[in-house]
């Protein structure tokens, strides 16, 4: 019996338990003289949860324990004496036999592995049956215990709501635990990197050449990340924002203040469709259309050293990609401004444009800033467009027609392929990630303070 069938069986028992417990509670409510503390549905959910949760928890633990038991059962068989003494060869043979027994592999490359396939099938069948039997017994036992507690004075609602609250608490802790794990891993690996490379050289050095360090030419002056930081700011926070902020904000103003309802009904979904286009499509457009066009333009205006991969091509396309992030947040924020503020401004004689500039935009500034921050975060974390259109060269230049690279692109390059996690070349990716995380956090803190200041002024 496979895992899906076992899961459906346990859920089916839970449904039966819910119906039975609810029916008993209904009988107690209709035939008894005492009033039920909880509604019949709560009694049903209490018994159903007791029936399913212990069994599912046991199956989860059993699925992690049974493979070891199966392998040990195969090794206890007298045929295991034919296995080689070498641990690696023995593990390869047993792994191959297990994959064939589970249907994940058709044929055996090692003839000896085929001999152990029946042993694995027998052991798997035995332990699978034992797991199903124990899970069903646990479901019946826990369900019967809960069923006996269905009484008029039993506080089933309190127990069920407490379990729901605990589940919500655990769900909310996942984000916190994940964040702590990410920060801890970044700190640990970055500390290893900075034990090999000086933080001063990393943060303020202007030479980025991890390949030369990997080839043994020294690494003290090979990890200067200033060109990467500048490339990230130049493409994601300057060029892309010059495109995205004006166009996104003006689109939101037009859709909320000037467009007719029928036009808004069609234009807003079309604009937000840009956010659903895969970044690789933007990358192809930037590499095959925008980059050659910009190179020809640069040559036409007299810039002879224009590259076929430029920061301007990547930044322009990236700015178009993140227009919906700015537009949607600004649209929602402007639409949420009380109509009385707009009507009061118009009643005082202000024009529509003056009302937008002096009333609506300041009042909606928190949402607008939030949209800009979301767009900046999206631009900083973009990789595919930069790889395809801006190149991989770590150049410290303000020429938009030159090839540059970003932090995220270099992280991908450093972690691609078979890498050794004890070399500064690989560990540099974690140091870059830590710096990017710290800068983003600092920007968010500053933005929240600015938003709070203007929110107090316009509340």
């Amino acid at each position: 019996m496979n895992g899906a069938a076992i899961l459906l069986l346990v859920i089916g028992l839970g449904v039966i338990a819910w119906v039975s417990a609810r029916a008993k509670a209904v009988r107690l409510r209709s035939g008894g003289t005492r009033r039920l503390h909880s509604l019949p549905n709560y009694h049903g959910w209490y018994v159903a949860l007791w029936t399913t949760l212990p069994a599912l928890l046991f199956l989860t633990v059993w699925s992690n324990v049974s493979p070891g038991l199966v392998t040990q059962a195969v090794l206890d068989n007298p045929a295991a004496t034919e296995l080689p003494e070498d641990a690696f060869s023995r593990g390869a043979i047993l792994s191959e036999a297990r994959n064939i027994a589970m249907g994940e592999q058709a044929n055996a490359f090692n003839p000896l592995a085929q001999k152990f396939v029946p042993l694995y099938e027998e052991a798997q069948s035995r332990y699978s049956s034992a797991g199903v039997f124990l899970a069903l017994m646990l479901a019946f036992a826990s369900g019967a215990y809960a069923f006996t507690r269905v009484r008029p004075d039993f506080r089933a609602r309190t127990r069920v709501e407490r379990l729901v609250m605990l589940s919500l608490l655990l769900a909310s802790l996942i984000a916190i635990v994940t964040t702590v794990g990410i920060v801890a891993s970044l700190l640990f690996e970055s500390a290893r990197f900075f034990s090999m490379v000086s933080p001063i050289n990393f943060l303020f050095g202007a030479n980025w050449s991890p390949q030369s360090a990997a080839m043994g030419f020294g690494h003290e002056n090979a990890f200067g990340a200033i060109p990467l930081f500048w490339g990230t700011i130049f493409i994601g926070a300057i060029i892309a924002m010059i495109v995205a902020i004006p166009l996104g904000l003006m689109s939101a103003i037009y859709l909320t203040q000037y467009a007719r309802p029928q036009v808004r009904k069609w234009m807003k979904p079309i604009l937000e469709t840009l956010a659903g286009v895969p970044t690789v499509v933007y990358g192809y457009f930037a590499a095959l259309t925008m980059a050659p066009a910009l190179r020809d333009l640069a040559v036409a205006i007299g810039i002879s050293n224009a590259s076929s991969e430029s920061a301007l091509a990547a930044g322009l396309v990236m700015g178009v990609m993140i227009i919906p992030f700015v537009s949607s947040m600004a649209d929602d924020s402007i639409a949420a401004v009380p109509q009385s503020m707009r009507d009061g401004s118009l009643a005082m004689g202000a024009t529509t444009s003056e009302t937008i500039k002096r009333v609506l935009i300041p009042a909606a500034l928190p949402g607008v800033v939030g949209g800009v921050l979301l767009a900046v975060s999206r631009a900083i974390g973009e990789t595919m467009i930069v790889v395809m259109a801006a190149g991989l060269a770590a150049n410290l230049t303000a020429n938009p027609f030159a090839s540059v690279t970003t932090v995220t692109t270099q992280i991908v390059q450093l972690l691609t392929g078979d890498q050794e996690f004890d070399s500064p070349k690989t560990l540099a990716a974690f140091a870059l990630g830590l710096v990017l995380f710290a800068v983003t956090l600092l920007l968010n803190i500053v933005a929240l303070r600015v938003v709070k200041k203007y929110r107090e002024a316009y509340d």
Side-chain angles (χ1 to χ4, degrees):
M1 184 179 294
N2 56 29
I6 298 173
L7 180 62
L8 291 176
L9 181 59
V10 173
I11 293 176
L13 291 177
V15 173
I16 295 174
W18 184 87
V19 173
S20 303
R22 185 181 184 282
K24 180 180 179 181
V26 170
R27 290 196 302 270
L28 291 174
R29 184 176 63 177
S30 59
T33 57
R34 299 178 61 184
R35 181 182 178 184
L36 287 177
H37 175 273
S38 305
L39 294 175
N41 283 340
Y42 285 105
H43 289 278
W45 280 113
Y46 177 78
V47 178
L49 292 173
W50 263 99
T51 303
T52 56
L53 291 184
L56 293 177
L57 181 60
F58 171 79
L59 288 173
T60 302
V61 175
W62 186 257
S63 64
N64 293 287
V65 173
S66 59
L69 299 176
V70 170
T71 301
Q72 187 60 44
V74 173
L75 292 175
D76 291 339
N77 193 281
T81 57
E82 301 179 19
L83 289 171
E85 294 295 334
D86 180 34
F88 179 79
S89 302
R90 178 189 301 181
I93 293 173
L94 293 177
S95 176
E96 193 173 4
R98 180 174 59 250
N99 292 337
I100 295 175
M102 296 178 63
E104 298 178 357
Q105 185 174 331
N107 299 314
F109 295 99
N110 193 315
L112 187 57
Q114 191 64 44
K115 186 175 182 178
F116 289 90
V117 172
L119 299 179
Y120 262 105
E121 291 177 345
E122 179 186 355
Q124 286 174 354
S125 176
R126 182 168 67 252
Y127 282 104
S128 178
S129 301
V132 173
F133 176 77
L134 293 175
L136 292 179
M137 290 299 99
L138 183 60
F140 278 115
S142 56
Y145 164 76
F147 189 79
T148 59
R149 306 194 68 183
V150 179
R151 298 185 301 271
D153 59 341
F154 181 64
R155 299 175 178 269
R157 184 186 67 185
T158 304
R159 305 297 178 87
V160 172
E161 291 181 347
R162 187 176 300 169
L163 179 61
V164 172
M165 183 180 66
L166 179 61
S167 301
L168 296 175
L169 176 62
L170 293 176
S172 63
L173 288 176
I174 291 177
I176 299 175
V177 173
T178 302
T179 304
V180 171
I182 292 173
V183 174
S185 64
L186 286 176
L187 290 174
F188 177 76
E189 300 295 344
S190 299
R192 294 178 58 194
F193 172 76
F194 289 127
S195 66
M196 306 175 188
V197 178
S198 170
I200 302 299
N201 293 337
F202 174 76
L203 294 174
F204 301 103
N207 178 40
W208 179 262
S209 57
Q211 294 297 335
S212 62
M215 296 173 63
F217 294 108
H219 56 261
E220 274 300 322
N221 298 318
F223 291 97
I226 287 294
L228 307 186
F229 300 150
W230 167 247
T232 303
I233 296 172
F234 191 37
I235 295 177
I238 297 180
I239 299 177
M241 290 301 106
I242 289 175
V243 176
I245 293 177
L247 294 181
L249 186 57
M250 288 188 289
S251 299
I253 292 173
Y254 171 75
L255 291 175
T256 55
Q257 302 301 317
Y258 293 102
R260 297 192 303 271
Q262 194 66 23
V263 176
R264 175 182 169 84
K265 177 182 177 182
W266 287 98
M267 289 297 296
K268 186 173 174 61
I270 293 175
L271 182 62
E272 294 179 347
T273 302
L274 292 173
V277 178
T279 57
V280 67
V281 176
Y282 284 110
Y284 276 124
F285 176 73
L288 301 180
T289 304
M290 289 297 298
L294 291 174
R295 181 190 58 199
D296 296 339
L297 176 62
V299 173
I301 61 177
I303 301 177
S304 58
N305 59 346
S307 173
S308 58
E309 296 175 330
S310 64
L312 185 59
L316 291 177
V317 176
M318 193 182 298
V320 173
M321 180 188 68
I322 60 179
I323 285 175
F325 293 91
V326 179
S327 176
S328 295
M329 293 291 292
D331 186 307
D332 296 338
S333 301
I334 294 173
V337 175
Q339 183 67 24
S340 58
M341 296 181 65
R342 183 177 184 273
D343 294 341
S345 176
L346 295 174
M348 294 293 294
T351 63
T352 301
S353 61
E354 291 174 338
T355 300
I356 294 171
K357 181 173 64 175
R358 299 181 180 276
V359 177
L360 297 183
I361 296 300
L365 187 63
V368 175
V369 173
V372 171
L373 285 176
L374 181 62
V376 171
S377 301
R378 181 70 179 85
I380 290 176
E382 176 55 38
T383 306
M384 186 60 67
I385 296 176
V386 181
V387 170
M388 301 180 69
L392 303 176
N395 294 324
L396 186 59
T397 176
N399 181 9
F401 296 99
S403 175
V404 297
T405 189
T406 62
V407 170
T408 54
T409 303
Q410 287 300 310
I411 291 175
V412 172
Q413 291 295 317
L414 294 172
L415 296 179
T416 300
D418 297 331
Q419 303 292 341
E420 297 179 357
F421 279 82
D422 57 353
S423 66
K425 176 179 179 293
T426 305
L427 295 175
F430 297 94
L432 291 173
L434 180 63
V435 173
L436 193 62
F437 175 81
V439 171
T440 304
L441 181 63
L442 181 63
L443 287 175
N444 287 338
I445 294 174
V446 173
L448 287 175
R449 290 187 176 274
V450 173
V451 169
K452 182 178 179 180
K453 176 183 176 181
Y454 281 93
R455 179 177 291 173
E456 291 176 350
Y458 290 100
D459 273 347

